[in-house]
Amino acid sequence: MPHKVDAINLHLKTKEGFQMNTKTSHSSRVRGTTLKTLAAAVAATLSLGANAETPYFDEALVFGDSLLDGGSFGLRFTNQLPSGEFAPVSSQLWARSLGLDAEPAIGGGTNYAIGGLTTQEILTTIIGDDAGEAPLGVDPYLAIAAPTARSLAFVDGGGNDFLQGLITDQASTSAAVTTLLGSVGALDSTGINYIFLSNLPNLGQTAAAQAADAAAGNQNFSATSSAGSAGFNQLLAMGAGSVGANIIPVDTAGMFAYVLSNIDSFSFVSGDIGAPIEQQFMCYDDGIDGPATPGVDDIDCIEHPLHGIDGLSPDPDMLIFNDGVHPTATVHAIWADYLSDIVNAPRVVGTLPQLGLDVARQQLQVAGDQFSEQRGKASEASWFISGALGSADIDAAGMPEDQHNSLSIGGFVPLSEQLTLGGIISLGDQETDLSGGSIDSSSIGFSATLTYRSDALFVESIGSLALSNHDEVQRSFNLGPQQLRASGETDGETLAFDLLAGFDLMADSDTLLAPALGVRMVNSTVDGYLESGGAVSNYQWGDQELDSKQLRLGVIGKMLLSEGVSLQVEIFANDESEDGFTQVNVKNTTAGFPGYHLPGIYIDGGSFITADVGLSMSAGAGRVRVGYSYSDQGEGSNALRVNYSAKF
């Protein structure tokens, strides 16, 4: 489809690039309202940085144009503060949310975005030109590239190809898209595993396009601009799959559309005040000194008569556009919130398989309590009922606390003097609170046990299956003043096997002291699902799987304190073979891009200690045992269990 955008350039006289009009006649003004902008930016940065303790990424690389330019030449393409400084742009806030920096590459940083760059020039900042140089003397990234496995890049571009008249039809659109994807491919070739790629906002819904329509008295300019950017985005999404990189789509078009459709909830001005265009398309700075001049065709945009820089009550926080095409600092903060959610969302959903592991371990511990009670005794038919309360802090998932409770009933039947067969049914529920959401789950578990006991040697085995229903998986995130919630539900399954062997060094006494060696293997799977309710940030989540393999070496003790009262202690050094970040498969449901993956939670492998203490006593015809267990794996976990057992 041809795009008639060449004519638009006669009217969209933007100051993209280095022709930004700073309006020196206003430079000495102290505008109190801009303090709100700065405060909002700082608050956004602090809120985004809440999870920055975990080093999910080593560095943030940025490649693009003015929308991501962190101030390559001392300017940022957003509101200038009274101090002469410029408010942070989205790329800076986004990087800070990750505990990183995205300062201009010209100053030695990792932000290569420069206002005015076309897709070809963006590519040149990465690969260099024929002489091996990048625009304005910046060393091309490939000349100094040293990415790690956790390097993260952000690529944006295409707007200047339209604004500079380089895109006039479908062929030139396709060429620009191919060039932009070439930048992604070049970054992928360096080994960068995570590449954010932004589509274009609707160019027809910019202040410049709307001002051009107002000057011409029709909708031709905005309509053709909208068609052009939509065509660009469609080709970008279609071509992303051919690059072979892990492209993380940033639906900037959808994000801006959501803001424009919810003006009032973001506290921006809206509606018709008798001007040629509606207020939401007016700008803060029209690029000329003096009162706003609606209908004049040589300006970037139509300045808001009240909240514009020359208005009666200047306040950029009330407006979406700083000039014809650049958003205000408030919109940059909203955009940064959206970018932050893209990274944080897998941390919430990636917790799900870990919850399955916790369910399985609790089932194994319930069986272990009965083994502890039976050691040193003759095999006998018995039954038990057990209740457990536990909590666990899951490392690197926004410091969540998992509260898990269960009720179990089971029995044991001797097959011989040495062999005993057992079965257990468990019902459980979990409530997991995260900084970015919550998960409510329920489960049913089935365990089978087989034990061998001689005078000194004992071998205990457990096999279990747990079926979980995560009936409310909720993510919460901010877009400026709005808090949105995306929710869904899914099912999970956990298989576990535990084998423990010990040798009682004091088999002929009432005291048990046994070195023990064991292995524990757990596999947790979670079905993929589609979430809803998150507006611009809903995702299709893929299936997940998480394995845990532990080697256990420790000592088991049991002592008779008095008639009918015994103390049991177990201390184990454990080695977890699984280590590092999990990967969560995701698909954006709004932008049409292929699926991608991002880090989920961190599995703290290596060595850790577990300890269990139990006190059992006679209670009528049976026995009551109270047990407490602790593990220092990750951020730590603990559980309290009470059970009653009796002979059949």
Side-chain angles (χ1 to χ4, degrees):
M1 175 180 68
H3 307 310
K4 299 178 181 179
V5 298
D6 51 335
I8 301 176
N9 296 294
L10 298 175
H11 294 268
L12 304 188
K13 298 183 179 180
T14 64
K15 304 307 187 285
E16 181 79 22
F18 314 106
Q19 302 177 8
M20 187 173 187
N21 189 334
T22 59
K23 302 178 70 170
T24 56
S25 65
H26 297 281
S27 62
S28 63
R29 297 186 183 182
V30 177
R31 304 185 181 277
T33 56
T34 58
L35 295 176
K36 294 191 297 179
T37 300
L38 180 60
V42 171
T45 302
L46 292 175
S47 66
L48 291 172
N51 296 329
E53 298 87 354
T54 304
Y56 276 76
F57 302 104
D58 293 330
E59 63 177 349
L61 299 158
V62 180
F63 305 89
D65 50 30
S66 58
L67 288 179
L68 303 181
D69 189 345
S72 296
F73 297 95
L75 300 176
R76 300 188 189 102
F77 295 81
T78 185
N79 297 320
Q80 188 175 11
L81 302 175
S83 63
E85 298 292 325
F86 289 82
V89 297
S90 59
S91 59
Q92 295 174 296
L93 295 172
W94 168 73
R96 293 172 190 175
S97 76
L98 304 173
L100 306 171
D101 292 317
E103 298 307 309
I106 290 177
T110 58
N111 190 336
Y112 290 79
I114 298 175
L117 295 191
T118 64
T119 53
Q120 182 59 55
E121 291 167 330
I122 293 169
L123 177 60
T124 306
T125 65
I126 300 172
I127 65 174
D129 57 19
D130 294 338
E133 297 181 353
L136 304 171
V138 180
D139 290 331
Y141 175 71
L142 289 188
I144 59 171
T148 71
R150 298 206 307 271
S151 292
L152 177 67
F154 189 2
V155 178
D156 162 77
N160 289 317
D161 293 67
F162 283 95
L163 297 174
Q164 298 179 23
L166 302 178
I167 293 180
T168 58
D169 53 25
Q170 187 163 352
S172 53
T173 301
S174 180
V177 168
T178 300
T179 302
L180 189 61
L181 292 175
S183 294
V184 174
L187 294 172
D188 177 66
S189 69
T190 69
I192 296 176
N193 293 326
Y194 309 99
I195 303 175
F196 277 47
L197 177 62
S198 173
N199 60 15
L200 284 177
N202 186 340
L203 297 180
Q205 291 192 316
T206 61
Q210 297 292 316
D213 277 357
N218 59 58
Q219 299 295 309
N220 182 61
F221 301 111
S222 62
T224 53
S225 296
S226 294
S229 53
F232 182 95
N233 290 343
Q234 184 178 19
L235 292 176
L236 190 66
M238 291 173 58
S242 64
V243 179
N246 181 35
I247 296 176
I248 299 138
V250 178
D251 188 11
T252 302
M255 188 276 296
F256 272 93
Y258 179 78
V259 172
L260 285 168
S261 63
N262 294 272
I263 297 294
D264 294 339
S265 63
F266 288 102
S267 299
F268 295 121
V269 294
S270 64
D272 186 1
I273 56 173
I277 62 175
E278 293 187 344
Q279 293 187 79
Q280 60 263 37
F281 296 111
M282 293 182 175
C283 63
Y284 180 69
D285 189 347
D286 64 5
I288 62 173
D289 291 329
T293 53
V296 176
D297 63 1
D298 62 350
I299 59 175
D300 287 344
C301 53
I302 296 177
E303 187 176 301
H304 195 278
L306 178 62
H307 299 303
I309 194 170
D310 297 296
L312 297 176
S313 181
D315 189 353
D317 292 340
M318 301 294 296
L319 303 171
I320 293 175
F321 294 99
N322 179 65
D323 53 30
V325 294
H326 298 107
T328 59
T330 301
V331 178
H332 273 285
I334 295 171
W335 193 11
D337 281 343
Y338 168 58
L339 294 171
S340 180
D341 179 64
I342 295 175
V343 175
N344 289 333
R347 304 185 189 188
V348 176
V349 178
T351 305
L352 290 169
Q354 177 68 57
L355 300 185
L357 296 186
D358 292 344
V359 169
R361 290 166 182 165
Q362 190 170 84
Q363 287 183 220
L364 297 176
Q365 190 61 59
V366 168
D369 287 348
Q370 301 309 306
F371 294 161
S372 182
E373 183 69 21
Q374 295 168 5
R375 293 176 190 132
K377 297 181 179 180
S379 298
E380 58 185 17
S382 62
W383 65 272
F384 75 92
I385 185 170
S386 174
L389 303 174
S391 66
D393 290 332
I394 303 171
D395 194 26
M399 303 298 291
E401 184 169 283
D402 171 32
Q403 298 288 339
H404 47 268
N405 311 312
S406 68
L407 179 66
S408 304
I409 186 169
F412 300 92
V413 178
L415 301 179
S416 68
E417 290 186 2
Q418 290 80 33
L419 291 175
T420 301
L421 180 68
I424 305 170
I425 298 176
S426 301
L427 298 176
D429 69 83
Q430 291 172 283
E431 296 182 359
T432 306
D433 294 323
L434 306 99
S435 63
S438 62
I439 303 172
D440 291 338
S441 309
S442 59
S443 63
I444 181 170
F446 307 91
S447 301
T449 70
L450 182 65
T451 61
Y452 171 85
R453 304 188 191 281
S454 67
D455 290 339
L457 177 67
F458 57 89
V459 180
E460 302 162 347
S461 64
I462 314 167
S464 70
L465 167 67
L467 303 175
S468 298
N469 174 237
H470 308 291
D471 52 13
E472 186 176 2
V473 184
Q474 182 173 277
R475 296 190 303 103
S476 58
F477 58 96
N478 293 326
L479 284 183
Q482 283 196 14
Q483 185 176 65
L484 301 177
R485 291 180 174 83
S487 60
E489 62 178 301
T490 186
D491 297 319
E493 180 180 289
T494 308
L495 294 171
F497 175 75
D498 187 273
L499 180 66
L500 181 71
F503 189 85
D504 186 4
L505 302 177
M506 306 179 71
D508 296 329
S509 71
D510 293 333
T511 301
L512 182 147
L513 180 64
L517 177 67
V519 61
R520 175 174 291 179
M521 296 181 290
V522 186
N523 173 263
S524 176
T525 59
V526 177
D527 297 337
Y529 69 99
L530 178 66
E531 64 183 13
S532 61
V536 71
S537 193
N538 291 315
Y539 300 103
Q540 175 71 56
W541 299 99
D543 296 345
Q544 297 185 69
E545 182 173 6
L546 180 60
D547 290 316
S548 173
K549 301 180 181 69
Q550 296 176 4
L551 182 65
R552 309 170 65 208
L553 177 64
V555 62
I556 297 173
K558 184 176 181 179
M559 176 184 295
L560 186 65
L561 299 180
S562 64
E563 184 67 28
V565 180
S566 64
L567 175 68
Q568 303 117 21
V569 179
E570 299 181 14
I571 300 176
F572 280 88
N574 307 265
D575 184 75
E576 172 64 66
S577 64
E578 301 296 319
D579 184 73
F581 290 95
T582 64
Q583 296 292 324
V584 181
N585 294 319
V586 196
K587 186 174 183 180
N588 182 294
T589 62
T590 61
F593 281 73
Y596 60 94
H597 62 269
L598 274 170
I601 66 171
Y602 184 77
I603 303 300
D604 191 4
S607 299
F608 63 97
I609 301 295
T610 57
D612 183 85
V613 179
L615 184 67
S616 68
M617 62 197 74
S618 300
R623 294 185 64 81
V624 172
R625 185 182 190 274
V626 179
Y628 173 81
S629 58
Y630 173 79
S631 170
D632 70 348
Q633 185 180 25
E635 296 297 317
S637 62
N638 59 81
L640 178 67
R641 298 173 306 281
V642 178
N643 66 74
Y644 176 83
S645 60
K647 298 179 183 180
F648 278 117

